[in-house]
Amino acid sequence: QVQLVESGGGLVQAGGSLRLSCAASGRTFSRYTMGWFRQAPGKAQRETVARISKSGGKTYAASVKGRFTISRDNSKNMVYLQMNSLEPEDTAVYYCAADQRVGVMGPGDFGSWGQGTQVTVSS
């Protein structure tokens, strides 16, 4: 399994931007589909924010499409989430996740997780 460490969370005003980073260990990072997920306060389940396949294909949740961008740098074992036009509804703990299996989509599919980073958007 790959080890993941997120960073870049914080407190930002509505309309602002943040960039989350996720550093992955290991030499096979390029074989992994990577995902960003979030868990909002008081919600039991994590929701998918964005995912990027090992070939670079990207998918986004409808609520973040056009505002968030996922990217990866295989040379640095890094995946990023650029978040623009942040809204109070984006407040959550954001998690990075990885899996080598083909077709992984939702949070239940991913086998490796980071510890999470808090994003708080004030109105």
Side-chain angles (χ1 to χ4, degrees):
Q1 283 192 340
V2 65
Q3 305 299 314
L4 304 170
V5 179
E6 303 97 333
S7 61
L11 174 63
V12 64
Q13 287 189 330
S17 298
L18 283 174
R19 188 175 86 149
L20 305 184
S21 300
C22 175
S25 65
R27 296 179 293 177
T28 60
F29 176 75
S30 62
R31 301 178 188 173
Y32 285 81
T33 291
M34 302 298 297
W36 284 100
F37 302 85
R38 67 187 181 186
Q39 188 164 7
K43 294 204 173 178
Q45 292 187 329
R46 295 176 186 178
E47 63 171 345
T48 303
V49 176
R51 61 181 282 281
I52 184 167
S53 69
K54 57 184 180 181
S55 62
K58 303 174 186 180
T59 59
Y60 295 94
S63 58
V64 307
K65 205 166 186 179
R67 300 189 296 123
F68 291 10
T69 303
I70 189 171
S71 61
R72 66 189 298 161
D73 185 339
N74 289 341
S75 68
K76 297 180 179 178
N77 282 18
M78 296 290 294
V79 63
Y80 306 98
L81 185 68
Q82 177 66 44
M83 306 187 294
N84 298 328
S85 301
L86 282 161
E87 303 168 353
E89 293 73 23
D90 296 316
T91 294
V93 178
Y94 284 71
Y95 297 90
C96 173
D99 205 281
Q100 290 194 72
R101 292 171 293 176
V102 175
V104 290
M105 295 295 292
D109 296 333
F110 284 75
S112 298
W113 290 82
Q115 81 289 350
T117 186
Q118 176 71 46
V119 171
T120 302
V121 184
S122 63
S123 57

